[in-house]
Amino acid sequence: GAVVSQHPSRVICKSGTSVKIECRSLDFQATTMFWYRQFPKQSLMLMATSNEGSKATYEQGVEKDKFLINHASLTLSTLTVTSAHPEDSSFYICSASLLANEKLFFGSGTQLSVL
Amino acid sequence: QKEVEQNSGPLSVPEGAIASLNCTYSDRGSQSFFWYRQYSGKSPELIMSIYSNGDKEDGRFTAQLNKASQYVSLLIRDSQPSDSATYLCAVNQGGGADGLTFGKGTHLIIQP
């Protein structure tokens, strides 16, 4: 199947700092990538849809100024958590699909811990 | 609002038995259905996809879809301890590159 690479896998940072997470599609071009967040023992919650060359579409309740998404190329999307706080500590996962309405391939996820 | 419901479990099944995982969804317009397996601390991996009513088999796994009842299930035959994980049901309404809506997952434990 398609490969989606995500890093870093784990980040520990101080409150108030910004953290950038990268998501790359290694063997295919992804015009659309998705960013999910998962709290312990909870489901994956879609945060935003990242579209190459245009602004991301954010889900209701997700602050676009706090979670900056850049999809500058067909193989790279980045999520920057700005001024991170302890409540932002979570497992962040990116994903992409080969075709619209098709299965998603997930990156390995990033465990963010904000102290 | 799209909703996907799963029993959180834990569901405990003896090794070698059949594990049955169930999922219901609220959006009648949903067209694509997926089962993902997620180990603790890891990202989900795709187990099965199903798009039309009926059964779809792949090795020890069988996905079942009933759109009239808005119900999708996953059967795991000859359960192995390595099948112990959280199984996520995901639904996509279709019609474009839309993110999936996930259920909270069912925690499956296969007892040796």
Side-chain angles (χ1 to χ4, degrees), chain A residues 68-109:
Chain A
L68 301 179
I69 292 173
N70 184 285
H71 195 156
S73 77
L74 288 172
T75 60
L76 174 64
S77 176
T78 61
L79 168 67
T80 300
V81 183
T82 62
S83 186
H85 290 283
E87 59 265 29
D88 297 323
S89 298
S90 186
F91 191 49
Y92 293 84
I93 316 174
C94 72
S95 66
S97 61
L98 288 167
L99 299 170
N101 192 31
E102 247 302 311
K103 59 182 74 71
L104 290 181
F105 296 96
F106 285 90
S108 55

Side-chain angles (χ1 to χ4, degrees), chain A residues 26-94:
Chain A
L26 296 185
D27 52 359
F28 67 103
Q29 293 182 331
T31 55
T32 303
M33 291 186 177
F34 304 94
W35 287 95
Y36 288 86
R37 178 169 56 182
Q38 186 178 35
F39 292 106
K41 299 190 184 300
Q42 298 295 314
S43 185
L44 280 78
M45 297 299 296
L46 180 64
M47 298 177 65
T49 302
S50 171
N51 302 295
E52 187 269 335
S54 64
K55 292 183 179 181
T57 303
Y58 290 82
E59 295 299 301
Q60 189 174 5
V62 178
E63 301 175 58
K64 61 180 180 181
D65 294 331
K66 181 171 184 62
F67 299 99
L68 301 179
I69 292 173
N70 184 285
H71 195 156
S73 77
L74 288 172
T75 60
L76 174 64
S77 176
T78 61
L79 168 67
T80 300
V81 183
T82 62
S83 186
H85 290 283
E87 59 265 29
D88 297 323
S89 298
S90 186
F91 191 49
Y92 293 84
I93 316 174
C94 72

Side-chain angles (χ1 to χ4, degrees), chain B residues 37 47-48 56-62 75-77:
Chain B
R37 177 175 64 197
I47 298 296
M48 292 283 288
K56 179 181 178 182
E57 185 175 322
D58 183 0
R60 295 187 296 114
F61 300 96
T62 299
L75 301 177
I76 306 175
R77 291 182 299 281

